Amino acid sequence: MSHPLVQSMWLIPLYTMLGAALSFFLFSGITRRTGPRPAGYLNIVMTLTAFIHSSIALIYAWDAPAVDFSVPWLNVASLDLSIPFHIDAAAITACVVITGLNLMAQVFAMGYLEMDWGWARFFSLMAFFEAGMNFLVLTDSLFFSYIALELLTLGTYLLVGLWFNQSLVVTGARDAFLTKRIGDLFLLMGVVALLPIAGTWNYTELAEWAKTADVDPTLMGLLGFALLFGPMGKCAQFPLHLWLDEAMEGPVPGTILRNAIVVQVGAWVVVKLQPVLSLSPPVRTATLVIGSITAVGGALIAIAQVDIKRNLSYPTSAYMGLVFIAVGTGHTQAALLLSVTHALGMALMVMSSSAVIWNSVTQDVTQLGGLWSRRPISGISLAIGAAGLVALPPFGGFWAILRLVEDLWASHSPLCFVVLAVNLFLSFSFTRLFCRVFLGQPGQMSERCPEVHWPMALPMVVTTGFMLHVPILLSVVGLLPDWLSLDKGIALVVIWSTLTGIGGAAAIYLGNFVQKPVRLPWPGLQDLFAYDFYTPQLYRNTVVLVVSLFSKLVNWFDQYLIDGIANFFGLATLVSGQSLKYSTSGQSQFYILTILLGLTVIGLWLSLPLLSNLSVIQP
Amino acid sequence: MQLQYFLLIAAALFCIGIYGLVTSRNAVRVLMSIELMLNAVNLNLVAFANYLDPQGIKGQVFTTFVIAIAAAEAAVGLAIVLSIYRNRDTIDMEQFNLLKW
């Protein structure tokens, strides 16, 4: 019998849902006098409750077997839609990470949104997000994962569109919703098609089924692509990555969540679906190709950005690409390790950069600089976050990437170079960011820039501490390779790639021998990366163009052909009435003529048999 | 002499009556055409009575009624024409087209 706290893990999504619901009463249209701040405090308390609950549950569930139970939801005909929960250590760990980072983000938001009236809306959306994510990691059904993913898509739309009086926010929220929605819809196709084939939506049963499954390879390929497409949109993978860039228009604490965790939920589904996806070799290859392209492309684009937030959104795509590579090669543990380090590191970096933005107004890195002496907390946070993301020992990212490279080295050695290149580019990109924001001469906008106040500094410091503890935690839970079995050659190469990136960026941006702003010898290439491979134009000229042309065509068809036919009948009736009224000539003699003609015709018709008889008799 | 000839001449008279009824512009001539048609009917009745019902001669009785009623109808018709004439100073049928579409 497991501990009651483990048994009641299903409460975790409900805590924050309750917070979201209660925030409603503090909307500024409803509570008009006292302001919406209690909504923030309430949601922080709820998140704290969820965090404490899941943390204690984790202690009890660590070595215990997984708890499975299901809540009946809908039972019609032969379809049984109960909500299955599969509560194991991994799920509870995910809950701890989600609630913990939410707590950090919400405390941060308390400081960041100090001069904002939209607390109730913001915090209820954050809580909504949190509930969706917790539900996603606790449920053991692909179907309910899909439901949670859709809730998160809606949540993204609303949260990105928080400040909807800004036009870029509106377009960004639109793109975020539509892009993720397309992925979700493909996922739905896959989900629906999977049931008749596998007979179940439960991840554990799917994994069992996949071991012995004998399915038509074409069918399995199509199914696998559909199942892959949803997480592709969710994880902001090429070519569905533009939304993450545009989602940076939203409020920053939301960005913490999105960069750190929301993109991870796609990865969670992909990891859970790994046994099914690996049934089809083309899908595996596609996962690797998509992951590689995104990882390399995202890392390169990140280098060429001037917007501090976009500088961090593309590495998210790149890191998720690495997760895709790990899943595509079947190394789910490396994928989960990458996800956890990314969640912490990216949250830290976004917090730090937001702290800089809060006091420096601009997001343009070319106008910042020289903050290190005055803003050490933000600087250290950014540095630790970056160090925890790239392969720099002894931080968490090193072990994750090392694990991935070691796993890949045996079976997919070419992919090792992709991972190393991505690591190098990301190191370069993060170092460039650090050098441009914290080192060098103070920029125009950072001449006088104080450190932030406590609600923003506290979560940064706490997360930094947690980031520093990741290697210790990993060694406690036995995820670190022991020193003897460690492949020192690979480790050295990995470290070397990081150091090359860091050193290169530091040399370029701190040294005086390259003119700033740095121009590549090929401006076209630099613009290509800076404008994200011109993805908006790509969308506009392909999918958007086709859909808009088609909808115009259909609209024309509807307006003129379908409506035209219906209107034609009405018009014809009108015209016939208008023209046939002239049969009423007003001449009584004409009426008499009509009567006589009618009589003649009826008479002829009645005597037709008689007349035909006559003609027969006559000869 | 056969019945058919009577019927044919009656039909011819009826058609002439119709022609006159539909084409005349003078209202009195319209009434006259109606008289022609009634007379054609009378011819028919008398012919049928003579050839098919020589004993009962119901046709001749009918004819008597028709003549009487035709006289009354002509009187009423002329009265109507007169009343129209008083109002509109004409008996041209082409002028009486007020009740059109």
Side-chain angles (χ1 to χ4, degrees):
Chain A
M1 193 61 198
S2 54
H3 194 269
L5 277 180
V6 180
Q7 291 278 339
S8 59
M9 274 302 281
W10 53 270
L11 278 173
I12 301 281
L14 296 183
Y15 292 138
T16 47
M17 216 54 187
L18 181 68
L22 290 178
S23 304
F24 173 78
F25 296 104
L26 292 153
F27 275 33
S28 43
I30 291 171
T31 302
R32 287 168 180 275
R33 281 178 178 275
T34 49
R37 292 183 81 95
Y41 307 143
L42 171 75
N43 279 305
I44 288 172
V45 170
M46 285 299 176
T47 308
L48 187 64
T49 315
F51 177 68
I52 292 172
H53 184 156
S54 44
S55 304
I56 299 175
L58 182 61
I59 299 169
Y60 288 107
W62 188 254
D63 282 324
V67 181
D68 282 289
F69 59 91
S70 74
V71 179
W73 183 56
L74 182 67
N75 210 335
V76 280
S78 58
L79 185 65
D80 176 24
L81 289 178
S82 299
I83 310 175
F85 286 94
H86 179 76
I87 295 169
D88 57 358
I92 301 182
T93 311
C95 277
V96 171
V97 173
I98 290 166
T99 50
L101 279 175
N102 251 295
L103 191 61
M104 295 299 115
Q106 287 182 342
V107 174
F108 190 87
M110 217 166 74
Y112 192 88
L113 294 179
E114 198 172 64
M115 310 216 182
D116 195 288
W117 273 91
W119 275 43
R121 200 147 52 89
F122 175 80
F123 277 98
S124 61
L125 285 172
M126 291 281 273
F128 181 68
F129 253 114
E130 197 180 345
M133 284 185 290
N134 282 324
F135 178 64
L136 179 83
V137 295
L138 289 176
T139 188
D140 189 37
S141 160
L142 180 58
F143 182 72
F144 288 98
S145 297
Y146 169 76
I147 290 181
L149 286 179
E150 285 284 25
L151 292 181
L152 294 177
T153 303
L154 177 66
T156 307
Y157 176 71
L158 297 172
L159 192 54
V160 173
L162 188 79
W163 295 319
F164 49 78
N165 57 348
Q166 299 176 19
S167 57
L168 282 176
V169 163
V170 177
T171 53
R174 174 200 67 192
D175 290 351
F177 184 72
L178 292 180
T179 316
K180 289 170 75 167
R181 194 82 180 76
I182 287 169
D184 285 343
L185 274 183
F186 274 93
L187 180 64
L188 180 62
M189 292 182 204
V191 169
V192 170
L194 190 61
L195 187 65
I197 300 172
T200 174
W201 275 323
N202 277 29
Y203 288 122
T204 35
E205 289 172 26
L206 278 175
E208 285 298 313
W209 166 78
K211 276 181 198 158
T212 56
D214 180 26
V215 193
D216 177 35
T218 325
L219 178 66
M220 200 59 229
L222 289 172
L223 188 58
F225 277 119
L227 292 176
L228 187 63
F229 214 75
M232 247 173 81
K234 268 282 177 294
C235 290
Q237 297 294 294
F238 274 43
L240 303 176
H241 63 286
L242 182 67
W243 73 266
L244 190 64
D245 172 87
E246 296 189 1
M248 294 299 122
E249 298 293 343
V252 174
T255 310
I256 300 173
L257 266 198
R258 190 164 40 254
N259 271 8
I261 342 180
V262 176
V263 287
Q264 310 272 13
V265 297
W268 180 270
V269 172
V270 155
V271 168
K272 286 274 190 178
L273 280 177
Q274 196 272 334
V276 179
L277 294 178
S278 64
L279 282 176
S280 171
V283 174
R284 266 192 315 233
T285 317
T287 316
L288 296 182
V289 170
I290 291 163
S292 310
I293 292 177
T294 313
V296 176
L300 284 173
I301 292 169
I303 294 174
Q305 297 300 310
V306 291
D307 184 322
I308 188 166
K309 287 170 82 179
R310 286 175 169 77
N311 247 318
L312 296 176
S313 75
Y314 284 102
T316 300
S317 284
Y319 225 77
M320 286 298 110
L322 293 186
V323 173
F324 263 56
I325 292 177
V327 172
T329 52
H331 300 111
T332 50
Q333 205 170 14
L336 287 176
L337 206 54
L338 279 169
S339 292
V340 173
T341 53
H342 171 259
L344 285 170
M346 191 46 86
L348 199 47
M349 291 185 78
V350 177
M351 274 190 226
S352 161
S353 57
S354 317
V356 170
I357 293 169
W358 199 67
N359 272 346
S360 311
V361 183
T362 185
Q363 294 175 211
D364 189 340
V365 291
T366 59
Q367 297 186 3
L368 294 165
L371 287 175
W372 177 252
S373 58
R374 282 162 296 151
R375 306 197 55 177
I377 298 178
S378 304
I380 292 172
S381 300
L382 190 75
I384 302 283
L389 272 179
V390 299
L392 192 66
F395 300 105
F398 171 69
W399 305 108
I401 291 178
L402 180 66
R403 176 73 188 260
L404 181 61
V405 174
E406 272 183 346
D407 286 344
L408 291 177
W409 184 248
S411 50
H412 301 78
S413 44
L415 283 175
C416 288
F417 295 105
V418 172
V419 177
L420 288 176
V422 171
N423 182 40
L424 193 155
F425 295 145
L426 284 181
S427 310
F428 187 95
S429 165
F430 292 151
T431 314
R432 165 180 174 271
L433 183 66
F434 187 78
C435 294
R436 298 251 30 172
V437 175
F438 287 101
L439 304 178
Q441 291 301 311
Q444 207 177 358
M445 300 295 288
S446 59
E447 293 270 6
R448 284 174 295 279
C449 188
E451 189 57 282
V452 285
H453 58 168
W454 71 266
M456 295 166 79
L458 179 72
M460 270 199 289
V461 174
V462 172
T463 317
T464 308
F466 209 81
M467 191 77 224
L468 291 173
H469 279 79
V470 165
I472 302 169
L473 288 175
L474 289 180
S475 77
V476 168
V477 301
L479 280 175
L480 287 195
D482 59 343
W483 189 248
L484 290 175
S485 69
L486 186 65
D487 190 333
K488 276 127 195 138
I490 290 177
L492 271 181
V493 171
V494 170
I495 297 169
W496 191 244
S497 76
T498 314
L499 290 180
T500 315
I502 295 175
I508 290 173
Y509 289 97
L510 296 180
N512 278 330
F513 42 87
V514 181
Q515 200 187 348
K516 255 85 63 185
V518 181
R519 293 299 299 174
L520 286 184
W522 319 277
L525 189 69
Q526 189 167 8
D527 285 347
L528 184 71
F529 290 131
Y531 289 105
D532 174 22
F533 299 131
Y534 302 106
T535 310
Q537 283 90 331
L538 187 73
Y539 285 180
R540 221 173 291 134
N541 291 330
T542 53
V543 179
V544 178
L545 183 74
V546 170
V547 171
S548 80
L549 278 182
F550 184 70
S551 45
K552 273 183 195 140
L553 182 73
V554 170
N555 183 36
W556 182 89
F557 189 79
D558 179 50
Q559 210 170 359
Y560 292 99
L561 243 60
I562 305 289
D563 284 7
I565 289 172
N567 288 342
F568 172 76
F569 285 109
L571 196 69
T573 318
L574 264 179
V575 167
S576 57
Q578 285 289 342
S579 51
L580 284 178
K581 74 180 180 190
Y582 295 109
S583 59
T584 310
S585 63
Q587 295 277 1
S588 43
Q589 283 170 301
F590 179 75
Y591 303 154
I592 294 168
L593 178 65
T594 322
I595 294 168
L596 290 170
L597 282 176
L599 282 175
T600 317
V601 169
I602 292 174
L604 278 178
W605 182 62
L606 286 177
S607 55
L608 208 58
L610 204 67
L611 289 174
S612 56
N613 270 350
L614 274 183
S615 63
V616 172
I617 293 166
Q618 204 59 34
Chain B
M1 290 302 263
Q2 285 182 358
L3 174 62
Q4 288 94 322
Y5 297 132
F6 284 94
L7 296 185
L8 280 174
I9 204 146
L13 193 59
F14 194 82
C15 288
I16 291 167
I18 288 172
Y19 179 77
L21 177 73
V22 173
T23 56
S24 305
R25 293 185 64 178
N26 191 322
V28 178
R29 241 162 85 179
V30 172
L31 289 178
M32 288 159 70
S33 304
I34 293 172
E35 289 304 319
L36 278 188
M37 288 160 68
L38 287 170
N39 285 338
V41 171
N42 286 345
L43 262 181
N44 266 2
L45 289 173
V46 172
F48 279 125
N50 196 30
Y51 282 91
L52 301 181
D53 186 27
Q55 302 305 313
I57 53 168
K58 294 183 205 76
Q60 296 196 13
V61 179
F62 278 145
T63 309
T64 317
F65 276 104
V66 170
I67 289 171
I69 290 169
E73 174 251 309
V76 173
L78 278 172
I80 293 172
V81 169
L82 263 177
S83 73
I84 294 176
Y85 178 74
R86 281 197 192 124
N87 280 320
R88 299 182 57 86
D89 274 345
T90 177
I91 48 168
D92 187 349
M93 292 294 281
E94 302 272 303
Q95 304 295 319
F96 305 148
N97 58 354
L98 301 175
L99 292 175
K100 62 184 173 188
W101 54 83

